[in-house]
Amino acid sequence: MIIENNAIVYFTGTGNSLKVAKDIVSRMEDFQLCKVSQFRNEKEMEIKSKFLGIVFPVYYSRMPLIMDEFVRKLNISRDTYVFAAATYAGAPAQALVKLDAILKYKESKLSSGFLFCMPSSNIFAFNTKIKEKQNKIFAREEKKVKKVCELIRKREELKPETSKLVFDIVIDKMFIKTTDKIMDNLHMRDEKFWVNEKCNGCGLCEKICPVSNIEFDLNKPTWKHKCEQCAACIEWCPKQAIQWGNKTLKRSRYRNPNVKISELIDD
């Protein structure tokens, strides 16, 4: 497959990364938004566009597996300016540096990479922030997008942003084997999903899953062990019927208020 038009390829579960991707596109000319899931069956991709943007949430200080797989398929023209935006709430560490390393292995590079702090969407580990704090975060994100787009238009060559806390980077290096193991087994972590009596069989979780990991059996969802841990199913369930182990029973759900469900469902 060949991509000749300027594009931002994104992955999102709760909408945070889509919000950033949309905000960048709104300030750039002739850019199209592409879900990374639409390229899952491509074995190789030729990038000949002037710009290519990559937007994703940080998982365990790195890219989601689906985005990692996408990047490794790319053959990028030397004239293409590649930029990335990574959303995070905790410790981004050197996620963008790791992306740059993959691109360099592919004989390309990351021309610029930016970190965007967004509300926590990791329901597996944390509760979400109150709405007043969320609004302040969104305001900072929109302000940064404006500056970032100016840099992208000028095709500025910049080092990828890293965590401002050296501690984050040190911890990432210390526990790299542990997080590698988590990522290696990420697809199987859906074994902890279950539904309670509130489930009405609406099927939204099946439709919203970006990797088609959910199907219905006896009017209840089942997970097929190719999970990306994006949390789309559990966060967007209208009845809050989906749980992950016992950790999510009392945790509030988070969905980016600037993103509609229709934007997350594949046509």
Side-chain angles (χ1 to χ4, degrees):
M1 182 176 182
I2 299 175
I3 293 182
E4 296 182 299
N5 298 320
N6 295 332
I8 289 182
V9 179
Y10 70 91
F11 177 67
T12 196
T14 59
N16 280 341
S17 292
L18 177 54
K19 171 66 163 62
V20 173
K22 290 199 305 179
D23 287 347
I24 294 174
V25 166
S26 70
R27 291 183 173 275
M28 303 295 289
E29 294 181 1
D30 301 322
F31 266 74
Q32 59 184 13
L33 273 176
C34 303
K35 297 178 181 178
V36 69
S37 56
Q38 73 185 71
F39 304 118
R40 291 185 69 210
N41 295 325
E42 299 292 335
K43 293 183 178 180
E44 192 173 86
M45 300 186 64
E46 197 81 20
I47 308 299
K48 295 185 177 181
S49 54
K50 185 178 179 180
F51 293 95
L52 174 68
I54 301 171
V55 182
F56 59 90
V58 175
Y59 292 173
Y60 299 100
S61 302
R62 66 199 72 194
M63 289 186 293
L65 293 176
I66 189 172
M67 189 60 80
D68 186 286
E69 292 169 2
F70 166 75
V71 172
R72 294 180 189 276
K73 295 177 183 179
L74 303 180
N75 292 315
I76 304 172
S77 168
R78 291 185 178 181
D79 296 327
T80 301
Y81 180 93
V82 183
F83 65 92
T87 60
Y88 73 99
Q94 293 182 304
L96 292 171
V97 172
K98 293 171 185 175
L99 167 57
D100 188 33
I102 297 173
L103 290 171
K104 286 177 178 175
Y105 177 78
K106 297 288 295 181
E107 298 184 347
S108 183
K109 65 176 180 178
L110 188 63
S111 298
S112 61
F114 308 95
L115 294 173
F116 287 86
C117 181
M118 297 292 275
S120 174
S121 58
N122 185 1
I123 193 172
F124 310 114
F126 307 106
N127 214 331
T128 190
K129 296 182 182 296
I130 60 175
K131 289 186 177 180
E132 288 76 11
K133 291 185 177 180
Q134 289 179 14
N135 292 334
K136 291 180 180 179
I137 293 173
F138 295 142
R140 288 197 297 267
E141 176 265 333
E142 291 174 1
K143 185 177 181 180
K144 183 168 183 176
V145 163
K146 183 178 180 180
K147 294 180 179 179
V148 164
C149 288
E150 291 174 357
L151 295 171
I152 295 171
R153 278 193 214 95
K154 296 177 182 177
R155 297 173 67 91
E156 294 279 359
E157 296 287 335
L158 303 166
K159 289 184 179 181
E161 291 182 350
T162 60
S163 175
K164 294 180 180 179
L165 298 175
V166 177
F167 180 74
D168 289 346
I169 298 173
V170 173
I171 290 295
D172 178 38
K173 291 180 178 179
M174 287 177 59
F175 291 95
I176 191 71
K177 291 184 179 180
T178 300
T179 52
D180 279 346
K181 187 176 181 180
I182 291 173
M183 293 302 286
D184 287 343
N185 294 284
L186 194 75
H187 292 327
M188 297 299 295
R189 288 168 70 85
D190 63 4
E191 290 179 326
K192 291 188 176 183
F193 280 121
W194 58 281
V195 293
N196 60 29
E197 70 283 354
K198 294 180 181 179
C199 177
N200 62 3
C202 71
L204 178 60
C205 55
E206 181 181 19
K207 296 175 184 176
I208 207 170
C209 178
V211 292
S212 302
N213 184 48
I214 300 173
E215 62 182 22
F216 270 67
D217 182 24
L218 299 177
N219 212 35
K220 298 293 182 182
T222 59
W223 285 260
K224 301 187 294 182
H225 310 318
K226 51 184 179 180
C227 182
E228 288 284 336
Q229 287 279 283
C230 71
C233 60
I234 188 170
E235 299 280 25
W236 289 90
C237 175
K239 298 295 184 180
Q240 296 190 17
I242 299 175
Q243 306 295 337
W244 193 75
N246 295 320
K247 293 184 177 182
T248 59
L249 289 169
K250 295 183 179 180
R251 286 177 183 162
S252 57
R253 273 42 175 174
Y254 170 79
R255 308 148 188 172
N256 190 294
N258 303 288
V259 170
K260 299 176 182 178
I261 291 179
S262 59
E263 296 177 279
L264 301 178
I265 296 176
D266 290 327
D267 297 329

